[in-house]
Amino acid sequence: MREVGIPHPRLPLPEPGQGDDPQAFLAWLMDAIPMVEHLGIREMRWEGESLVWELALGPNLNDKGTGFGGALTAQTTLLGWCWATLWLRQRGYARDVVVAEASQRFLAPVTGDYRIVCAAQSEQGPASLAERLTSRGRGRIALVQQLWCGETLCLEAHGDYAVLAAG
């Protein structure tokens, strides 16, 4: 069990030019953030520039038998954090990432297993973040997370993630 106020050890950076093994990162994440093992994440993978989670609905049910909004919100926020953290690690940065602002719009009930897709809000976002990291040592990126149940878009979330300066 994690102790309050004690940071979890960082995962070693991948070899230069290599990305993290998604399953190894997910295993580390479950140790680092105890609630993650209860979110029903079945798979994490990159699809181009998008990070995708496949999730089971069972652990995330509400009293109505559909997806619990609080769990879904936590998942979209955490997936954005993962996108930013993995993007940084792929480029050799071991930095802290925090969510600065987040919003969600619920569009339809989640009635079965689902997937959440996270990507940069704008095509220029990653390049802009890279430039800010070089010039200022810190930066921000806007990300969008979409939750799909089959072909139905059930939730769209937006998050602004800050990359803190080294030190």
Side-chain angles (χ1 to χ4, degrees):
M1 185 68 161
R2 292 278 312 283
E3 289 187 45
V4 174
I6 307 296
H8 191 71
R10 289 186 190 269
L11 187 65
L13 286 172
E15 294 294 321
Q18 300 291 313
D20 283 283
D21 169 45
Q23 297 318 314
F25 183 82
L26 192 53
W28 171 85
L29 190 63
M30 287 182 189
D31 285 339
I33 303 174
M35 75 173 221
V36 171
E37 71 177 299
H38 304 287
L39 295 179
I41 303 167
R42 296 187 317 210
E43 181 185 356
M44 179 171 74
R45 68 182 180 277
W46 284 101
E47 289 182 1
E49 299 298 313
S50 297
L51 187 59
V52 179
W53 276 358
E54 299 284 344
L55 299 108
L57 177 58
N60 303 293
L61 287 173
N62 64 17
D63 59 317
K64 296 160 206 62
T66 60
F68 173 55
L72 305 177
T73 297
Q75 291 165 357
T76 59
T77 302
L78 183 58
L79 182 56
W81 180 90
C82 289
W83 187 102
T85 298
L86 289 167
W87 185 91
L88 289 163
R89 290 174 53 76
Q90 188 175 43
R91 286 150 185 82
Y93 291 100
R95 296 291 186 82
D96 286 328
V97 174
V98 296
V99 62
E101 187 175 336
S103 64
Q104 303 79 34
R105 190 166 149 237
F106 294 88
L107 305 167
V110 177
T111 57
D113 293 348
Y114 55 98
R115 71 188 180 286
I116 307 174
V117 180
C118 179
Q121 186 170 318
S122 78
E123 214 175 282
Q124 300 80 18
S128 179
L129 176 58
E131 186 278 321
R132 283 190 209 113
L133 287 170
T134 300
S135 66
R136 298 184 204 163
R138 57 189 170 87
R140 285 174 93 126
I141 188 162
L143 300 173
V144 176
Q145 300 88 24
Q146 293 183 321
L147 186 154
W148 296 87
C149 189
E151 298 301 312
T152 303
L153 178 61
C154 298
L155 166 64
E156 186 166 82
H158 296 265
D160 202 22
Y161 293 82
V163 179
L164 305 181

